[in-house]
Amino acid sequence: MTPSPTGLFITLEGIDGSGKSTQAQLLAEGLRAMGYDVVRTREPGGSPGAEEIRSLVLEGPPDRWSPESELLLFTAARRDHLEKTIRPALAQGKVVICDRFADSTRIYQGITRADLRNTVDALHDLMIGQEPDLTYVIDIAPEQGLARAQGRQAGEQRFEDFGLAMQAKMRAGFLALACEFSQRCHVIEGNRPPSQVAAELLNIARPHLSRLRPLAPIDPAKSPARLTPPPPHPHRSHGPPLRRKPKPSLGKPPSKPPSFPHVPTA
């Protein structure tokens, strides 16, 4: 019996404004160009139900939710995301690239907002039970990340409004987490041109792709933007016209065999 296909689960983590979303997009584009089937998603969100919860936890004043309430909301969103998006894609042998996952909850609600790490891990084991195969921790100075995040003016500023001290605490937490899960976490210097960061992420991912079966690679010379339809031809585009033999005329078959006169023999 052939085993079910297993995909590759990649996550990107880091403080607000570290460039995770940009790198998730560039990584997805790079892997698709190599012929892999990629699902790019995010947290909180990534499924209809989880997207509704996203607006609850990312909008409003900083004191809208307690850390305990946040933990339950994030876990509910993650469970729906896992059921509707992540696990079906992995079961089909796809690459799933997720902007944030459980590591963010371990830092935000487990360490930075409150001392809930044991509760976070217990709830994760009970309700989620899924870890990434590969995690990139995009590292950037808290001052730079906060300036970037506040400059977006996207309306989802609740955690940015906690200020610079929280950003610095989160950065330290992510770096410690990368050491704790060193078998899957790679710390990436984020204060570089996006193309340089993207090249490093793609190189790190290459050894993990060996278990996947890529689709046909995309030839840049034949990208959809460069394809032009061939001119119409009445015959084949190469060689002389084909000479087709005329098809025999098929009349209506007789309803019974024809009869012949009887000739007596001597």
Side-chain angles (χ1 to χ4, degrees):
M1 180 178 178
T2 303
S4 300
T6 302
L8 181 65
F9 186 23
I10 301 175
T11 59
L12 292 91
E13 300 284 359
I15 66 173
D16 300 307
S18 59
K20 301 181 307 335
S21 300
T22 297
Q23 291 305 318
Q25 177 180 348
L26 294 175
L27 181 61
E29 292 173 355
L31 292 177
R32 288 183 183 126
M34 294 168 63
Y36 293 97
D37 198 349
V38 179
V39 173
R40 180 183 163 216
T41 186
R42 68 177 184 177
E43 285 208 352
S47 65
E51 288 291 334
E52 292 184 19
I53 297 175
R54 180 184 178 92
S55 62
L56 294 176
V57 294
L58 296 187
E59 297 177 9
D63 60 354
R64 181 179 187 181
W65 306 105
S66 69
E68 291 82 1
S69 297
E70 286 175 359
L71 172 58
L72 294 173
L73 288 167
F74 277 115
T75 303
R78 183 164 300 127
R79 179 68 196 190
D80 191 70
H81 186 205
L82 190 69
E83 292 177 355
K84 305 291 178 54
T85 303
I86 296 175
R87 281 182 177 164
L90 293 176
Q92 295 172 23
K94 299 180 181 181
V95 180
V96 176
I97 299 175
C98 190
D99 183 351
R100 295 199 184 281
F101 193 62
D103 289 333
S104 284
T105 305
R106 291 181 173 115
I107 298 303
Y108 279 77
Q109 287 72 43
I111 298 175
T112 309
R113 293 267 286 131
D115 186 15
L116 296 175
R117 176 61 191 275
N118 291 337
T119 305
V120 169
D121 288 340
L123 193 57
H124 176 82
D125 293 341
L126 179 65
M127 300 305 302
I128 307 300
Q130 179 83 46
E131 295 290 350
D133 301 300
L134 174 63
T135 298
Y136 302 109
V137 177
I138 312 296
D139 184 41
I140 197 170
E143 298 84 359
Q144 187 176 3
L146 185 60
R148 285 182 182 179
Q150 291 177 335
R152 290 194 295 251
Q153 298 297 325
E156 298 177 342
Q157 300 277 330
R158 181 168 170 263
F159 285 97
E160 288 86 339
D161 289 345
F162 281 103
L164 183 60
M166 180 172 172
Q167 295 291 320
K169 194 173 182 179
M170 286 192 304
R171 184 198 182 196
F174 276 118
L175 294 177
L177 197 74
C179 294
E180 180 181 352
F181 297 101
S182 58
Q183 72 277 8
R184 65 172 170 84
C185 289
H186 296 260
V187 178
I188 308 297
E189 171 55 55
N191 190 22
R192 292 180 292 166
S195 59
Q196 291 183 12
V197 178
E200 183 176 357
L201 267 58
L202 193 59
N203 285 334
I204 293 173
R206 290 181 190 276
H208 297 266
L209 300 170
S210 59
R211 71 176 189 231
L212 303 180
R213 179 180 297 176
L215 305 172
I218 298 174
D219 184 352
K222 296 180 180 180
S223 62
R226 298 186 182 185
L227 284 179
T228 55
H233 279 276
H235 308 290
R236 289 185 178 178
S237 57
H238 298 287
L242 290 177
R243 297 176 180 268
R244 291 190 174 93
K245 293 182 180 182
K247 294 183 179 179
S249 177
L250 300 176
K252 183 178 180 180
S255 59
K256 62 180 180 177
S259 61
F260 297 94
H262 176 70
V263 179
T265 57

